Amino acid sequence: HVFNRSVGNLEIFTRHTEFIRILDLISYYRFPRTIRFSQYKNLTKDIKEKYRTGFEKLTPLVEIFSFSLMPDHYHLLIRQLVDNGIKTFTSNFQNAYAKYFNTKKARCGSVFSNPFKAKWIENDEIFLHVSRYIHLNPVTSFIIKVEELSDYPWTSYPDYVGCKTKNLINTKLLLGIAGSAKKYQEFVVNQVDYQRKLQQIKKAVFD
């Protein structure tokens, strides 16, 4: 479980363009890169497609199982696939977003707290509970209602209930542990069970 906050609780994900940018960066930098995202964006369509096809044949730095984007922080549930994969991936997308955000806001200085925080997930049960904690972040923070979660694009939850599909997310592992998409949906939206387990998983999430 990888997570980080902005410096001074600065709201860095509030507009549609900001959410789209961070998701593009997360998707782009999960693979090894030879050029920055800003350079990639300026390539012609043909060259961009050739470059994309080439890097997608490489082993990704990380595999992503779930995410949640909040106004001043993010959560990722990921697995490292190469040595130093998490460190390289996280550093790259955070630095790229900081440059984008600072340019857009005409500011300078750090955007994310340094370093990011990470917690090893020890077993399938904790893995499942942390994924629910991540997906319910916008609900427990009163940004949206639980009924809106299936259509909320700034978490990976819609991928798990068949409302949206991103190439970014591997849903097979979590759904395999849960048993099915329906069972996972019931597990996530069960508020009573969530509250009962919350204290139990806090140590796994925050310590």
Side-chain angles (χ1 to χ4, degrees):
H1 176 210
V2 172
F3 52 102
N4 206 352
R5 289 189 175 275
S6 62
V7 294
N9 295 322
L10 177 69
E11 292 195 346
I12 56 175
F13 308 127
T14 58
R15 299 182 180 182
H16 185 271
T17 53
E18 293 167 351
F19 285 115
I20 292 297
R21 186 67 167 209
I22 190 64
L23 287 177
D24 284 346
L25 292 172
I26 287 171
S27 179
Y28 184 77
Y29 283 112
R30 42 185 189 122
F31 290 94
R33 297 299 182 170
T34 56
I35 63 173
R36 297 190 305 272
F37 180 75
S38 57
Q39 294 173 307
Y40 171 77
K41 288 273 288 182
N42 291 326
L43 297 176
T44 63
K45 184 177 180 180
D46 289 345
I47 297 177
K48 187 183 294 184
E49 179 64 22
K50 183 177 180 180
Y51 179 73
R52 186 188 63 79
T53 301
F55 73 68
E56 288 185 350
K57 294 178 181 179
L58 302 175
T59 300
L61 300 174
V62 298
E63 188 173 24
I64 303 175
F65 301 106
S66 67
F67 73 85
S68 179
L69 302 174
M70 303 294 288
D72 63 354
H73 68 280
Y74 69 80
H75 294 271
L76 293 168
L77 192 55
I78 60 181
R79 175 164 56 191
Q80 180 169 280
L81 300 179
V82 300
D83 288 346
N84 295 314
I86 289 177
K87 181 179 179 180
T88 301
F89 160 71
T90 306
S91 175
N92 284 343
F93 86 74
Q94 285 191 171
N95 288 339
Y97 187 79
K99 291 178 181 177
Y100 161 81
F101 186 80
N102 281 346
T103 299
K104 183 178 178 182
K105 302 294 184 179
R107 70 182 294 275
C108 60
S110 298
V111 171
F112 292 99
S113 299
N114 187 31
F116 64 88
K117 297 180 180 179
K119 180 67 180 181
W120 173 259
I121 304 300
E122 297 178 355
N123 55 57
D124 287 353
E125 182 181 4
I126 296 298
F127 182 72
L128 195 61
H129 282 289
V130 173
S131 78
R132 177 169 65 178
Y133 172 84
I134 290 172
H135 284 146
L136 283 174
N137 246 233
V139 177
T140 55
S141 297
F142 302 101
I143 293 174
I144 61 171
K145 297 178 180 179
V146 69
E147 295 82 9
E148 300 172 306
L149 190 58
S150 294
D151 297 317
Y152 190 66
W154 313 130
T155 80
S156 50
Y157 184 71
D159 296 78
Y160 282 91
V161 295
C163 296
K164 194 173 183 180
T165 301
K166 300 182 183 70
N167 294 328
L168 182 64
I169 304 299
N170 178 353
T171 62
K172 292 181 180 179
L173 183 56
L174 270 173
L175 293 181
I177 295 170
S180 68
K182 182 178 179 180
K183 288 180 179 180
Y184 184 71
Q185 184 176 15
E186 291 171 351
F187 173 77
V188 171
V189 301
N190 184 343
Q191 290 292 303
V192 175
D193 186 53
Y194 171 75
Q195 292 299 327
R196 184 168 64 246
K197 293 289 187 180
L198 182 58
Q199 294 302 318
Q200 177 181 328
I201 69 168
K202 272 187 176 179
K203 185 175 179 62
V205 175
F206 293 113
D207 283 4

